[in-house]
Amino acid sequence: MKIPKPCKTSKTWIAAGTLGLLSVTATAQAAVAPEALVGPVADYKLYVLDNLEQLVTHTEDFTAAIEAGDLAKAKALYAPTRVYYERIEPIAELFADLDVSIDAREDDYEQGVEDPDFTGFHRLEYGLFHDASTDGMKTYAQGLMADVEELDSRVQALTFPPETVVGGAAALMEEVAATKISGEEDRYSRTDLWDFQGNVDGAREIFELFRPLAAQEDADFVARVEDNFDDVEKTLADYRLDPDDPQAGFESYDEVSDADRRALTGPVTVLAEDLSTLRGLLGLN
Amino acid sequence: MSQSDRSSRCPFTTLQTACQQTTSQKTKPQKTKPQQADDRQAGHPPTDPPSPAHAERRRFLKGASLTGLGLGLGFTGLGGACPARALAATGHGEDVTSAPQQQDAELRYPFHGEHQQGIVTPRPATGMLVAFDVLARDRDDLEKLMRVLTERIAFLTQGGRIPERDPLFPPPDSGTLGPVIAPDGLTVTVAVGDSLFDERYGLASARPKRLQRMEGFPNDALDAARCHGDLALQICANTLDTGYHALRDIIKNTPGLLMVRWKQEGTVPLLPPAPGDIDGSARNFLGFRDGSANPDGDDEALMDELVWVGRDHDEPAWAQGGSYLAARIIRNFVERWDRTPLNEQETIFGRRKMSGAPLSDGAAEGREQDVPDYTLDPEGKITPLDAHIRLANPRTPATEKNRILRRPFNYSNGVEANGQLDMGLLFLCFQADLEAGFITVQRRLDGEPLEEYIKPVGGGYFFVLPGARDDNDYLGRSLLAATA
């Protein structure tokens, strides 16, 4: 007798109203064996650690420039430093205390910029780009350096939960949908596109690592996600200062046309919807 | 009328006939003899003008797009789902803008038809207008959007059990209405803006002739963030929860196709039935009855003339059965209004505040439904020439064609920086000719004394697509076919 294959999770919709089975909940029958996830999760940890190493190095240069009072250099290093944080946000956010002190925005505080608890990248952004000065920034710079080093050591010791890793792809696209399209993340430096690309890079890395497993479950899904990633990256590429040099970065977010903001919103929203099903597709809780 | 009276009046055989009319039912059926007989039973002499209860029954009959009679068929079919309960006659509620008096969760309006729902449908207690940018990348995407909208609206307005899914996945429904969605009087009306006819989708040749981008009138202070849109949904229901549920469902099902541009919701006060109550229009936030003298939504000939685009309206053939929607977010300066003498308020409107009656020179106060005769008042001694109702509807033969079907809601958004309440009117009106309708009426109103107390801040003009005729049809099909 032929044993029926486990239901593909994407096919487990229960037609409403059928046969009085409505209260029955479909049980998950993931075709993906848990062991299959070990390799991609380990690879992802290497990716995160590599980015953290870069984050530490870049933060050293960035904060050194501030402490030296070199405004121009500090401004130039702001966005290229943040990128490494934006790529690994799903993991970095696991440490809420550090996420707040490193990456909170003034909107998170009732007293805004004046709030004594407001620290980190965005406090420095306000000083460098709004006040155009490194005055009074030394404490914030030292605090950021200490926080980044602390993050690095905590992540080294962290066991990566597979559901957090896989769910991270969706979390990054939610981040883009909520704060990048609107251009509110880097409102003083207008370097939002750097962060945007960082979030997309981080999401795509996760997706690519698990793509072979996802493709076994739903090849159409994988193709659609690839297409939408390509669409987003293509639009972002139009705003690169030098197409041949990723390090050159992006134009100011002010330069992004309304039409392109809309053109980004479409695939970003579809990615957020699609990637929200990646955990389920891989049978993860 | 007692509750048992109401239920015993449910004309079962007529219902079954209505069941079979899912594709061609008119939005408003004609008065029929069995109903008149019904009236006699209820003690109304046959010569009475149609009672409000009568109108309710007519709505019920017309709304009854049924596949069965309470046999548990309230599932997700796109066509006629069965109302578990008939639209109970209340003895009230004659016009589109009559104050809503019931919150029957099983109230269900048919989705399919020549015209879309939500226009001549009696106004429920809540409504919102949501304007979108269309993100569809090409015509195929646009068709997909229209098909998805049609499918979702057909389901949501008829109600049913929500689908379940493997709990490892995000649930397909927000769950905000629980496991079974009650129709709750929900209507969703789809309209398209002038900008949809730009170069993106090749629709330019089919643009409805009067469709245009809303331009500011002299008293407007338009906020760009609350104006225009490629597409608009008017979502009305007994409760805002039902409207929000529908909106979230539609957003979830149209990723990459729609992006919300602005949204404004509003309410109208419920008027509980009370003995001796006079049918009245619901009040706006200025305290006046709003909707008096609205054209009768039950009068099909009148609706064909004033509201629905037909053969005689000089519009593209695909647009027949559609209508123009003018939407305006009109801030009311309520604190200032509340510091204005009553006489002045009434003079500004041309109506008595409490009764809604037109101003008159007699001692006896009239009724809201009274028709003012301005020929007897050429100098405006009773109703000033610049009173709101006189400018809006001068009641001359020449201005009859300018009448519009209003369907407004009151909104309250929060507090302005000056500590004053941000309240006003979500003005919605429908007409077969936008120029002859809203635009002409608003031009007559330009400079009216009421302007001191109101400030339009947003809105837009849209064209309501013709209805979807049946399960094989979808909203926007005729537009896409006309430009294929």
Side-chain angles (χ1 to χ4, degrees):
Chain A
M1 193 181 118
K2 210 174 168 186
I3 298 168
K5 275 179 67 177
C7 281
K8 279 190 177 178
T9 41
S10 61
K11 298 276 174 62
T12 51
W13 290 74
I14 293 181
T18 48
L19 305 172
L21 295 176
L22 293 162
S23 59
V24 178
T25 299
T27 46
Q29 289 184 284
V32 177
E35 310 86 78
L37 300 169
V38 173
V41 170
D43 286 345
Y44 183 64
K45 183 164 183 181
L46 290 176
Y47 172 81
V48 171
L49 291 178
D50 180 49
N51 275 279
L52 266 174
E53 196 179 318
Q54 299 267 16
L55 177 64
V56 170
T57 309
H58 280 77
T59 305
E60 281 168 359
D61 293 347
F62 174 55
T63 55
I66 294 169
E67 291 197 50
D70 189 340
L71 178 65
K73 188 176 181 190
K75 286 170 74 170
L77 294 180
Y78 170 77
T81 303
R82 285 181 53 73
V83 163
Y84 302 102
Y85 190 85
E86 291 292 319
R87 284 184 185 163
I88 60 161
E89 249 181 327
I91 297 301
E93 281 176 353
L94 293 176
F95 306 101
D97 56 332
L98 292 176
D99 188 42
V100 165
S101 60
I102 292 172
D103 200 33
R105 292 183 293 139
E106 63 187 82
D107 318 70
D108 298 325
Y109 301 96
E110 191 174 354
Q111 296 170 56
V113 176
E114 303 304 321
D115 199 294
D117 291 336
F118 179 37
T119 62
F121 275 116
H122 292 296
R123 181 63 188 85
L124 290 165
E125 181 198 9
Y126 185 81
L128 300 176
F129 292 89
H130 178 269
D131 297 340
S133 167
T134 56
D135 291 353
M137 293 297 109
K138 191 173 170 180
T139 318
Y140 296 121
Q142 289 170 345
L144 177 65
M145 192 66 242
D147 287 339
V148 165
E149 283 171 342
E150 172 68 13
L151 177 66
D152 185 36
S153 73
R154 286 198 210 172
V155 173
Q156 305 264 5
L158 178 74
T159 303
F160 280 32
E163 59 276 10
T164 303
V165 173
V166 174
L172 283 160
M173 294 320 296
E174 293 292 352
E175 189 72 24
V176 171
T179 62
K180 300 305 188 295
I181 300 263
S182 58
E184 64 191 70
E185 175 88 23
D186 298 298
R187 70 190 62 166
Y188 300 109
S189 62
R190 308 315 286 144
T191 55
D192 303 78
L193 290 177
W194 289 77
D195 289 18
F196 200 132
Q197 182 76 55
N199 286 163
V200 171
D201 287 347
R204 190 152 199 175
E205 177 70 20
I206 294 169
F207 176 73
E208 294 298 337
L209 288 172
F210 293 92
R211 186 169 56 94
L213 294 175
Q216 291 171 22
E217 300 300 306
D218 190 340
D220 290 347
F221 165 86
V222 167
R224 192 167 64 238
V225 171
E226 296 277 9
D227 281 353
N228 281 302
F229 269 128
D230 289 347
D231 277 357
V232 171
E233 299 213 51
K234 189 159 161 284
T235 306
L236 286 174
D238 288 343
Y239 291 93
R240 283 192 183 278
L241 290 173
D242 181 348
D244 301 321
D245 178 14
Q247 299 303 318
F250 292 91
E251 291 183 49
S252 159
Y253 200 69
D254 294 334
E255 301 300 316
V256 181
S257 68
D258 282 349
D260 278 336
R261 289 183 195 204
R262 279 200 296 271
L264 288 166
T265 302
V268 162
T269 313
V270 180
L271 281 169
E273 278 288 339
D274 276 340
L275 292 175
S276 75
T277 67
L278 186 59
R279 276 195 306 175
L281 199 63
L282 301 180
L284 286 165
N285 211 342
Chain B
M1 189 191 305
S2 75
Q3 187 65 47
S4 60
D5 277 342
R6 291 174 202 158
S7 51
S8 69
R9 292 151 127 254
C10 181
F12 237 53
T13 50
T14 319
L15 255 180
Q16 281 171 316
T17 310
C19 288
Q20 291 145 16
Q21 300 180 345
T22 53
T23 59
S24 63
Q25 95 279 350
K26 286 275 195 178
T27 328
K28 302 261 166 182
Q30 298 292 329
K31 299 161 190 175
T32 59
K33 285 194 172 171
Q35 287 168 14
Q36 283 167 9
D38 233 15
D39 281 341
R40 277 196 298 276
Q41 284 166 16
H44 293 290
T47 48
D48 268 5
S51 69
H54 190 144
E56 277 303 322
R57 281 194 306 283
R58 279 181 283 142
R59 287 197 182 100
F60 166 54
L61 289 172
K62 130 183 61 193
S65 158
L66 308 177
T67 54
L69 292 168
L71 299 175
L73 295 177
F75 65 100
T76 64
L78 299 186
C82 179
R85 230 170 309 160
L87 207 175
T90 60
H92 296 271
E94 184 119 41
D95 291 320
V96 167
T97 39
S98 292
Q101 294 169 358
Q102 56 178 350
Q103 292 280 70
D104 188 344
E106 292 305 320
L107 177 57
R108 179 184 285 112
Y109 292 107
F111 171 68
H112 291 122
E114 181 184 1
H115 309 301
Q116 285 194 65
Q117 49 179 204
I119 297 176
V120 295
T121 312
R123 180 183 52 174
T126 79
M128 69 179 92
L129 195 81
V130 189
F132 298 85
D133 290 332
V134 171
L135 304 178
R137 283 172 288 197
D138 50 34
R139 281 177 65 95
D140 287 348
D141 251 14
L142 183 64
E143 179 181 330
K144 181 179 159 198
L145 167 62
M146 300 315 296
R147 286 181 182 274
V148 171
L149 279 176
T150 303
E151 188 256 332
R152 295 319 301 162
I153 295 168
F155 168 65
L156 292 164
T157 57
Q158 303 309 302
R161 192 168 277 273
I162 63 177
E164 293 186 29
R165 193 180 190 187
D166 180 340
L168 291 180
F169 286 85
D173 187 277
S174 66
T176 56
L177 297 182
V180 179
I181 299 166
D184 200 29
L186 176 71
T187 61
V188 182
T189 313
V190 180
V192 294
D194 165 68
S195 52
L196 196 73
F197 295 85
D198 64 15
E199 70 290 345
R200 284 172 292 169
Y201 308 113
L203 304 177
S205 63
R207 181 195 311 255
K209 291 193 175 172
R210 280 86 181 180
L211 188 59
Q212 56 198 278
R213 185 181 168 88
M214 183 180 75
E215 289 190 357
F217 292 86
N219 188 42
D220 291 5
L222 298 178
D223 169 10
R226 287 187 281 176
C227 287
H228 318 304
D230 293 329
L231 186 142
L233 299 179
Q234 181 201 233
I235 303 175
C236 303
N238 288 335
T239 59
L240 277 174
D241 307 73
T242 295
Y244 291 139
H245 173 269
L247 176 59
R248 284 173 62 178
D249 181 284
I250 287 168
I251 289 172
K252 184 164 181 67
N253 281 284
T254 54
L257 299 173
L258 284 182
M259 179 167 97
V260 176
R261 184 180 172 92
W262 56 271
K263 154 173 94 59
Q264 181 64 63
E265 54 273 82
T267 58
V268 283
L270 278 168
L271 188 65
D277 228 9
I278 305 168
D279 291 324
S281 303
R283 292 180 190 276
N284 59 29
F285 279 156
L286 298 179
F288 280 77
R289 295 186 184 275
D290 199 333
S292 317
N294 228 2
D296 178 5
D298 278 334
D299 184 336
E300 289 187 28
L302 188 62
M303 292 299 101
D304 285 342
E305 181 190 336
L306 293 178
V307 172
W308 304 122
V309 167
R311 278 194 203 83
D312 301 332
H313 284 106
D314 183 31
E315 289 285 0
W318 75 264
Q320 284 176 25
S323 185
Y324 285 95
L325 161 64
R328 306 268 288 169
I329 302 172
I330 305 174
R331 170 99 193 273
N332 292 171
F333 301 122
V334 294
E335 290 87 351
R336 184 170 184 184
W337 182 251
D338 291 343
R339 292 189 280 258
T340 302
L342 179 59
N343 278 342
E344 192 176 333
Q345 293 186 9
E346 295 186 333
T347 305
I348 286 171
F349 268 103
R351 287 186 183 277
R352 297 284 173 222
K353 192 170 185 179
M354 286 303 107
S355 66
L359 298 180
S360 60
D361 57 353
E365 179 152 326
R367 285 163 41 102
E368 180 191 356
Q369 292 81 2
D370 292 348
V371 177
D373 186 348
Y374 298 134
T375 61
L376 302 176
D377 180 28
E379 292 169 40
K381 286 180 179 163
I382 298 165
T383 307
L385 299 177
D386 59 4
H388 181 76
I389 67 162
R390 191 160 182 172
L391 288 173
N393 184 0
R395 295 182 186 269
T396 66
T399 58
E400 287 296 278
K401 66 175 185 296
N402 305 133
R403 286 180 297 160
I404 55 184
L405 184 68
R406 288 164 291 154
R407 216 165 174 277
F409 295 89
N410 302 324
Y411 76 80
S412 173
N413 284 346
V415 185
E416 293 282 313
N418 57 13
Q420 296 190 336
L421 301 176
D422 180 6
M423 302 177 85
L425 190 71
L426 172 62
F427 175 91
L428 303 170
C429 75
F430 298 90
Q431 55 260 290
D433 182 335
L434 181 66
E435 297 270 3
F438 174 75
I439 291 175
T440 298
V441 171
Q442 181 54 51
R443 282 190 186 132
R444 283 203 299 256
L445 289 169
D446 284 345
E448 64 170 330
L450 181 61
E451 285 186 348
E452 208 164 316
Y453 303 91
I454 63 173
K455 184 60 75 179
V457 295
Y461 299 149
F462 302 92
F463 186 79
V464 178
L465 299 170
R469 301 300 182 110
D470 53 44
D471 281 341
N472 297 319
D473 198 5
Y474 64 92
L475 297 168
R477 182 193 48 75
S478 63
L479 168 59
L480 285 165
T483 51

